[in-house]
Amino acid sequence: MKPSLAVRASCWSADHASAVIALWLVFVAVAELPGFADGHRLGGGSFSDPDVAANWWPLVAAPIAVLLSVPFSRLLLLVSALFISVVTAASATLLDTVSESVAMSPLTGDAALLVVITVSVQHMLFAFCRRREAMAGGHDAPRAARIVASTAGNAALVSGSGVAASLAAVALAGTADLLPLVTAVLVAVLVSTVASLSLLPALNDRVLTTPRSLPPQPPARLTVGDLPRFVRPTAIAAGLLTLGAAAGYGSLRVFAPGCPGCRPLVDDLDACGVLTLLVVLGVATLVAYRRPVVALATFLLNGIAALAGLGLLAVLVDPLPAWAPMVLVIVLLVPANHLQVYLLHRLRSETLAGMSRRNTVAHACRRAWSASGGTLLVTVVMWLVWGLTESGDVREFALATAAILIADTLIVRFLLLPRLAVLGGRTNWWRVKGPKDAR
């Protein structure tokens, strides 16, 4: 069977690692020169200005992601810091160029860069974890690189192309006011996806392919089985009640004032754009996995997540600025769907391996948590730091978004999605003929 585009791109980049790394560094350096020379930057500001947070987000994100998700290694720290810094700088440069045609504010640029760092950390940690699993399975470095390309690379291509298609559809179907935000996030997602298929495999091959293998995954000090029996059902019930209450309140605020004098959030939402985003994400999932249950679960859970997020935002931010609802929907659904693709990949591989539904959910969530937990921590830290360094409406929005992202990841993605996706068992999954160890 002919390898997929993601596998071919990743393998080619790994075989030409020095050239790929050099090309990315040269591109960033050359693209940044005009900005440093004449100060022309996004929205009249400058990403090279020390006051703009985009310069030091990677310094916060990379060490935390590495220290949390894998045993400490200077090589991993170098790869993560370089990868996130290059992707952030490339995204900022392209956003500066695009802003000449599509007027963008610094707030739009900051939101897009937060998204690109979150997505880049997801790609990076998933690739790290897959490589560690492949090396632990006894594979040599070239074979491990191919396994990572066939799993992490395909997941990055599926998630990136699906989100890019949905954002492009929103840009065409949405209002003119929504175009700057959607365009900025679209550029960020495309840069992150291309980098995950080229720069990341090159860095892994050049820096991490050494005689010394990656440190093994340390055993968990605390597992679910160590907790009292009542803790797990209590936590699940509390999470579902919180999600239901937030989604119900969000529905009231979207479609009708939930309190006297409250303004309906539908006045600040582009209904056509939101619906287009939800539908195209569901269709992209259907095309990728060819399973209606998964596509329907994606559509429903994204809708519930958006309503719950808007409900929590209305509770935590008062008064709610007019720009906040649409920004929240975009910055919530884009990284969440990248995480969802990784979870679906795990669920599919475990289901096709013949596991029961219960074991499938347990194994998939445990395997995905190593990367997803680090991504969640990095994301929350970035939004908290951004909120604490800003003031007024932006501070309240950033702090509320951090809480909303935690609820979405833990309840919607890790609690509801796995249980809905495994309905129907292995019969509905699209089976791809390939090497048995590609899972």
Side-chain angles (χ1 to χ4, degrees):
M1 183 177 179
K2 187 178 181 180
S4 65
L5 174 62
V7 174
R8 296 199 302 271
S10 298
C11 292
W12 187 90
S13 299
D15 293 337
H16 304 80
S18 298
V20 171
I21 296 173
L23 286 175
W24 272 96
L25 294 177
V26 169
F27 167 73
V28 173
V30 172
E32 285 286 347
L33 288 178
F36 286 105
D38 57 19
H40 177 70
R41 280 305 186 218
L42 182 65
S46 174
F47 281 127
S48 59
D49 191 331
D51 294 333
V52 178
N55 281 314
W56 44 271
W57 286 139
L59 302 179
V60 176
I64 294 178
V66 174
L67 291 176
L68 178 76
S69 302
V70 293
F72 180 78
S73 168
R74 289 188 295 271
L75 291 178
L76 290 177
L77 185 63
L78 173 64
V79 170
S80 59
L82 182 60
F83 178 70
I84 299 175
S85 300
V86 170
V87 174
T88 304
S91 301
T93 301
L94 291 179
L95 286 176
D96 291 331
T97 303
V98 173
S99 65
E100 298 179 4
S101 303
V102 180
M104 300 179 187
S105 65
L107 176 63
T108 300
D110 282 342
L113 291 179
L114 287 173
V115 171
V116 76
I117 294 174
T118 302
V119 173
S120 299
V121 170
Q122 288 175 335
H123 294 323
M124 179 186 65
L125 292 183
F126 189 68
F128 283 171
C129 292
R130 291 299 291 123
R131 184 176 186 274
R132 182 174 55 199
E133 292 174 4
M135 298 295 289
H139 299 284
D140 56 9
R143 181 58 183 162
R146 187 169 185 84
I147 292 175
V148 172
S150 64
T151 54
N154 279 329
L157 181 61
V158 169
S159 60
S161 58
V163 171
S166 63
L167 291 174
V170 173
L172 296 175
T175 62
D177 295 336
L178 189 59
L179 183 60
L181 175 63
V182 173
T183 302
V185 177
L186 176 60
V187 170
V189 169
L190 290 176
V191 172
S192 177
T193 302
V194 173
S196 68
L197 296 176
S198 57
L199 179 61
L200 186 56
L203 289 172
N204 285 341
D205 181 81
R206 179 58 61 194
V207 179
L208 297 183
T209 303
T210 61
R212 182 182 178 184
S213 60
L214 289 177
Q217 175 77 7
R221 296 181 179 179
L222 179 64
T223 62
V224 176
D226 298 328
L227 300 175
R229 291 186 177 182
F230 69 89
V231 172
R232 185 179 179 185
T234 302
I236 292 175
L240 292 178
L241 287 175
T242 302
L243 181 67
Y249 183 66
S251 301
L252 291 176
R253 290 299 306 269
V254 168
F255 301 108
C259 59
C262 292
R263 181 185 179 187
L265 294 183
V266 71
D267 295 341
D268 302 324
L269 287 171
D270 182 354
C272 182
V274 174
L275 183 60
T276 301
L277 180 65
L278 296 176
V279 171
V280 177
L281 285 175
V283 173
T285 305
L286 179 62
V287 172
Y289 293 96
R290 302 185 185 180
R291 190 179 180 197
V293 172
V294 177
L296 181 60
T298 298
F299 177 80
L300 293 178
L301 290 180
N302 283 337
I304 293 173
L307 290 176
L310 292 172
L312 290 174
L313 184 65
V315 171
L316 297 175
V317 180
D318 188 26
L320 191 63
W323 52 265
M326 280 308 306
V327 174
L328 176 70
V329 171
I330 297 295
V331 301
L332 175 64
L333 293 185
V334 171
N337 277 273
H338 281 77
L339 169 60
Q340 184 162 296
V341 168
Y342 295 142
L343 271 172
L344 291 176
H345 162 75
R346 292 293 191 178
L347 291 167
R348 176 181 175 277
S349 63
E350 303 296 347
T351 301
L352 294 180
M355 287 189 176
S356 64
R357 294 182 185 178
R358 182 176 181 180
N359 289 336
T360 293
V361 172
H363 281 255
C365 291
R366 185 175 67 251
R367 287 173 176 267
W369 179 251
S370 180
S372 304
T375 302
L376 178 61
L377 179 60
V378 172
T379 304
V380 171
V381 168
M382 288 190 301
W383 283 97
L384 288 178
V385 173
W386 188 36
L388 294 175
T389 55
E390 296 288 343
S391 60
D393 294 339
V394 176
R395 166 176 288 190
E396 294 182 359
F397 173 80
L399 298 179
T401 301
I404 293 169
L405 289 171
I406 294 176
D408 178 81
T409 300
L410 297 180
I411 301 175
V412 178
R413 310 303 162 182
F414 273 90
L415 180 59
L416 295 180
L417 173 66
R419 287 157 179 82
L420 292 178
V422 298
L423 294 177
R426 56 192 289 181
T427 57
N428 291 332
W429 285 107
W430 173 34
R431 182 183 293 274
V432 180
K433 297 180 180 180
K436 295 181 179 179
D437 53 3
R439 59 185 291 266

